[in-house]
Amino acid sequence: MAKNALSFVCQNCGAAYNRWQGKCESCGEWNTLVEEDVTGVTTMPVSIRSKRKGRLFALETLTGKSNDAPRLPSGMTELDRVTGGGFVRGSVLLVGGDPGIGKSTLLTQATSLLARAGHRAVYISGEEAVAQVRLRAERLGLADTPVQLAAETSVEDIVSTLSEGAVPRLIVIDSIQTMWTDTVESAPGTVTQVRASAQALIRFAKKSGAAIILVGHVTKDGQIAGPRVVEHMVDAVLSFEGEGSQQFRILRAVKNRFGPTDEIGVFEMTGLGLREVSNPSELFLSERDLGSPGTAVFAGIEGTRPVLVELQALVAPTTLGTPRRAVVGWDPSRLSMVLAVLEAHCGVKLSGYDVYLNVAGGLRIQEPAADLAAAAALVSSLVNAPLPTDAVYFGEISLSGAVRPVAQTSARLKEAAKLGFGRAVLPESARGETGADSGLVLNTVGGLTNLVAEIAAGGNPGGKRQANPDENREHLSEKNATPARFRREGR
Ligand code: TYD
Ligand code: MG
């Protein structure tokens, strides 16, 4: 190793360089390199390390006794859904999210519930004073729970203190950026410190069997700042998201060694803390803009649970040379694909229009099944014809313009029926599926062309009819404007 152990470490991704430069070549961020002393990272000189004979250890078999009750449910159903059934003994979980989103609130509630259930639960705050944490607990009505609380930042002190007495079942470290360890020289908050502190805490968790939750701050572009390096070391990474202006908060697993990564937990921030939302569809549809063009309800699946959500589209004439395509809550490349299919196969001319697509309620959809709902919302906005308010849409669109079947049709239909919807627009092949007899009127579409024609004609069963349907057809090319193409789908 070089004599001079100073190194420039990117505070975003942890890449190290031996000289300063403006841009990190590893992650592409600018001005993130900070000089750090990395002497302390390897505590043993190389000469001694190479001479040292390794210690012998016992090799084990896969079968053998495992610890009792490896999982500890928190008692918050939505949190347990995301972790995969509770906190795993000896595991370390990283919870990331914007400042003020409610991470401390969520974890105060979780520790209080565990403490109330008789487990040793510890909350270490490196950011707030004990009095501030107490104030929050009072506000949440949890001040009387036997949580063990401290405002500390030294990892060595924390590990020594918590090694005394019964092993804590849950330890919350709020936040990992404020922790520091004696073993490295760098300032608190630098990548080297964060990595070394996390390592020490992870070692403690594995050794003691306590579950540890690390809180991590997120930068404006959604990365967990600094401890992106920590993401690889921990067992699970949860991200707590939400729109600042809205009350919904969504907890999502980004990585999970012990559970699913497609489940979401939905919460509502109230004056008395986070309330669990067991039926997210009701919440996402609570502020629907009924009867206005450009909105379609998508019957989606998040993990194991159906979630209905409104897609909102705005298609407006552009003043720019290159029209804008903006999307919130959905994959921009899928939007481009749907637009291309509409243009190529359905004769919908969109090149002169700006296109905006938004998923209401701050939800992020990952399923391709949202294609059909997005297409319906886009066409509805373009031709200014509202879609029927009692219809849900789902189906994947292929590049050829066909509407392809998607999984879990019956779960989607049941949820729609439960929430009072009367009809579903869905792929043709879904009709014969078991569970499709949910009581909903099934309006199947084989190709996107049919759906476009139907919306343009204002001919959606149950939809508001346009005074003059021909007005709407001016946006469609001659190819599709022939009346024969405006055939209504049979039920
Ligand atoms: P907090 O948990 O401190 O966020 P984080 O730890 O992620 O930075 O939550 C802060 C926000 O939550 C703050 O704007 C106030 C709001 N809040 C409520 O609306 N109700 C409550 O009961 C609590 C405790 C906080
Ligand atoms: Mg906080």
Side-chain angles (χ1 to χ4, degrees):
M1 203 175 167
K3 213 173 171 188
N4 181 1
L6 282 178
S7 170
F8 294 87
V9 181
C10 171
Q11 302 300 299
N12 186 46
C13 70
Y17 301 87
N18 53 16
R19 62 180 177 82
W20 190 86
Q21 56 197 57
K23 185 182 178 185
C24 171
E25 276 155 23
S26 167
C27 67
E29 287 291 312
W30 287 88
N31 288 330
T32 52
L33 296 204
V34 170
E35 191 171 356
E36 287 186 20
D37 187 346
V38 294
T39 1
V41 176
T42 41
T43 47
M44 236 183 272
V46 180
S47 53
I48 299 182
R49 261 188 292 154
S50 53
K51 278 184 203 145
R52 179 177 165 262
K53 196 163 175 284
R55 176 183 60 87
L56 300 182
F57 57 87
L59 296 163
E60 315 255 354
T61 56
L62 281 175
T63 48
K65 74 170 173 15
S66 52
N67 284 334
D68 58 313
R71 274 189 194 274
L72 177 66
S74 66
M76 294 175 88
T77 325
E78 293 295 298
L79 178 59
D80 291 341
R81 183 195 299 282
V82 180
T83 53
F87 305 118
V88 177
R89 267 172 183 264
S91 75
V92 179
L93 209 136
L94 179 68
V95 176
D98 291 329
I101 202 80
K103 301 180 293 296
S104 305
T105 309
L106 176 73
L107 297 175
T108 306
Q109 288 181 241
T111 32
S112 294
L113 280 179
L114 281 182
R116 195 176 267 168
H119 302 289
R120 183 177 178 203
V122 183
Y123 192 102
I124 310 278
S125 177
E127 292 187 343
E128 292 164 301
V130 168
Q132 281 174 293
V133 182
R134 281 197 188 128
L135 267 179
R136 181 185 291 115
E138 252 166 53
R139 182 172 174 184
L140 300 172
L142 297 167
D144 59 337
T145 53
V147 172
Q148 298 183 324
L149 181 64
E152 280 300 329
T153 52
S154 159
V155 172
E156 280 73 28
D157 295 355
I158 293 170
V159 168
S160 304
T161 308
L162 296 183
S163 305
E164 302 280 304
V167 176
R169 293 301 302 269
L170 180 71
I171 303 165
V172 173
I173 305 286
D174 189 3
S175 65
I176 186 65
Q177 275 101 343
T178 56
M179 295 295 135
W180 63 278
T181 158
D182 298 336
T183 56
V184 295
E185 300 273 304
S186 316
T190 55
V191 168
T192 313
Q193 269 294 354
V194 166
R195 186 164 30 193
S197 304
Q199 239 152 18
L201 289 165
I202 290 168
R203 221 175 303 128
F204 176 66
K206 304 278 175 231
K207 212 173 82 191
S208 65
I212 297 188
I213 301 181
L214 306 175
V215 174
H217 292 291
V218 161
T219 54
K220 55 186 180 317
D221 56 353
Q223 297 295 351
I224 296 180
R228 199 158 127 194
V229 278
V230 176
E231 285 189 19
H232 307 294
M233 297 152 57
V234 297
D235 298 300
V237 180
L238 309 186
S239 138
F240 204 33
E241 308 162 355
E243 296 283 319
S245 56
Q246 275 165 340
Q247 302 310 105
F248 322 129
R249 299 285 184 269
I250 293 166
L251 188 68
R252 188 186 289 280
V254 180
K255 157 184 171 177
N256 197 348
R257 283 187 186 147
F258 306 113
T261 50
D262 54 357
E263 289 282 4
I264 58 166
V266 185
F267 298 87
E268 187 183 6
M269 183 59 100
T270 68
L272 295 171
L274 289 159
R275 188 180 71 82
E276 297 183 64
V277 178
S278 47
N279 191 344
S281 306
E282 263 169 29
L283 192 70
F284 291 132
L285 296 177
S286 61
E287 284 165 29
R288 270 183 79 198
D289 203 358
L290 289 176
S292 57
T295 63
V297 175
F298 166 53
I301 300 278
E302 288 287 342
T304 51
R305 176 165 61 166
V307 173
L308 266 53
V309 65
E310 188 181 68
L311 299 194
Q312 305 164 342
L314 177 65
V315 179
T318 186
T319 51
L320 305 166
T322 313
R324 281 194 66 128
R325 267 84 179 101
V327 48
V328 178
W330 201 41
D331 184 1
S333 53
R334 282 217 81 86
L335 173 68
S336 307
M337 198 204 80
V338 170
L339 293 177
V341 173
L342 281 171
E343 192 131 358
H345 295 291
C346 311
V348 181
K349 289 179 280 179
L350 287 159
S351 50
Y353 293 88
D354 286 335
V355 173
Y356 303 90
L357 190 80
N358 178 38
V359 179
L363 188 69
R364 238 183 329 116
I365 301 178
Q366 273 140 359
E367 274 190 292
D371 292 353
L372 196 65
L378 289 166
V379 176
S380 158
S381 173
L382 176 72
V383 303
N384 202 25
L387 298 169
T389 54
D390 68 337
V392 296
Y393 294 77
F394 60 89
E396 185 180 340
I397 295 171
S398 73
L399 285 178
S400 64
V403 180
R404 305 190 41 206
V406 294
Q408 308 201 41
T409 300
S410 61
R412 297 173 204 264
L413 293 177
K414 275 199 197 102
E415 179 76 1
K418 204 168 87 189
L419 288 160
F421 284 85
R423 63 191 65 242
V425 180
L426 73 176
E428 209 143 58
S429 52
R431 190 194 291 277
E433 264 181 47
T434 47
D437 52 346
S438 54
L440 262 68
V441 175
L442 303 184
N443 192 12
T444 56
V445 279
L448 192 54
T449 324
N450 305 335
L451 182 74
V452 171
E454 207 169 88
I455 297 170
N460 275 284
K464 270 193 208 160
R465 279 187 177 276
Q466 293 291 300
N468 179 8
D470 286 336
E471 257 176 25
N472 297 327
R473 293 184 201 170
E474 70 198 36
H475 305 284
L476 305 175
S477 68
E478 273 312 302
K479 184 176 128 201
N480 290 291
T482 47
R485 290 219 171 218
F486 285 90
R487 105 185 114 83
R488 185 184 296 184
E489 270 301 302
R491 290 192 201 157

